[in-house]
Amino acid sequence: MTPTASDFAAIAQRLHAQADVAETVQTVAEMARETLGADWCGVMLVHRGQKLETAAVTDDVVRRADDLQTTLGQGPCLEAVDERTTFVIHDTRTESRWPQWCEQAAGLGIRSVLSVRLFTQAGTIGSLNVYGSRPDQFDAEDAVICGIYAGHASVALAAARTESGLREAMDGRHLIGLAQGILMERFDLTTEKAFAVLRRYSQDRNMKLRQVAAHVVESRGLPD
């Protein structure tokens, strides 16, 4: 049955309700499988602006299929990101694109594939990849539904990443503040001088400021 507007509203709410990025991306995979009536589903995310990595799967067969694409350097999931479009494979046994990957995917029991790019205006996030065990399991309507779902998933993932980044930044500021307090008390320093000490150790030892602060808080002293 084709999802309605209220169905997609419920999907969006559920995706945004997850606690962090890991839970959000796993929920994206699981709900895509449910929404599209697929056998398996996975999400690949762009890591540090370049490399695609598998972030969530509903079954290990998806991870194996993803690893094959990375190893072979070909496949619909990779191309969905590069070409910024949706790809449908009706049957991996007869598909002429990505012949090496399709042959090995068929050996894993994958016969149908639907891959769509995950993105926001800020850029590409990754790809959503839906797999079926039967030929012709996905049609043009499924591709449209997957595109709409991917839009909601992209926004939820971007929001989760932003919230996670803000939380990490806030935690880092708190940790640095604690480290400053320890140095001020131990060495009779001002706030500015305590921060300058942390920054100098960070630069001299090629450590992140947060790492230096964590060491100070845990050991009550500066790194050797």
Side-chain angles (χ1 to χ4, degrees):
M1 185 175 67
T2 303
T4 64
S6 60
D7 291 330
F8 278 116
I11 286 171
Q13 289 178 346
R14 181 174 167 187
L15 291 177
H16 282 282
Q18 303 310 305
D20 54 28
V21 175
E23 288 190 17
T24 301
V25 72
Q26 185 63 41
T27 303
V28 166
E30 292 171 357
M31 291 194 71
R33 181 178 58 81
E34 297 170 9
T35 302
L36 292 155
D39 292 289
W40 314 287
C41 186
V43 177
M44 299 182 81
L45 296 181
V46 176
H47 181 62
R48 294 182 178 177
Q50 295 181 343
K51 186 179 178 182
L52 268 177
E53 294 185 350
T54 302
V57 299
T58 60
D59 190 277
D60 190 59
V61 69
V62 177
R63 193 178 303 280
R64 292 161 67 188
D66 288 352
D67 288 345
L68 282 173
Q69 292 196 64
T70 303
T71 301
L72 297 171
Q74 64 170 243
C77 311
L78 302 182
E79 201 149 337
V81 171
D82 293 336
E83 297 297 325
R84 302 184 178 185
T85 189
T86 298
F87 289 98
V88 180
I89 295 178
H90 296 288
D91 190 348
T92 52
R93 293 197 184 280
T94 58
E95 175 61 60
S96 59
R97 299 169 294 180
W98 321 293
Q100 290 179 291
W101 181 81
C102 283
E103 179 182 359
Q104 296 190 49
L108 294 174
I110 295 171
R111 297 295 296 276
S112 299
V113 184
L114 181 55
S115 293
V116 61
R117 177 182 173 231
L118 295 171
F119 70 100
T120 65
Q121 289 184 339
T124 298
I125 297 174
S127 63
L128 172 65
N129 311 300
V130 186
Y131 300 101
S133 59
R134 306 185 309 276
D136 296 308
Q137 193 161 332
F138 310 116
D139 57 21
E141 183 179 356
D142 291 317
V144 172
I145 292 171
C146 190
I148 297 172
Y149 176 83
H152 288 289
S154 297
V155 173
L157 285 169
R161 279 181 164 182
T162 299
E163 184 176 344
S164 177
L166 289 173
R167 188 181 300 113
E168 184 176 346
M170 291 175 65
D171 290 345
R173 288 183 62 184
H174 178 66
L175 197 62
I176 291 168
L178 290 176
Q180 282 179 271
I182 292 171
L183 294 179
M184 289 166 64
E185 180 180 357
R186 182 170 180 182
F187 299 107
D188 192 26
L189 301 175
T190 64
T191 302
E192 291 77 11
K193 288 184 177 180
F195 183 79
V197 169
L198 292 172
R199 185 170 56 186
R200 186 176 70 250
Y201 269 79
S202 171
Q203 294 171 344
D204 291 347
R205 286 160 176 75
N206 195 26
M207 296 172 63
K208 290 184 178 180
L209 188 61
R210 177 173 176 167
Q211 291 177 313
V212 176
H215 181 91
V216 172
V217 172
E218 291 172 6
S219 67
R220 314 296 290 185
L222 290 162
D224 294 332

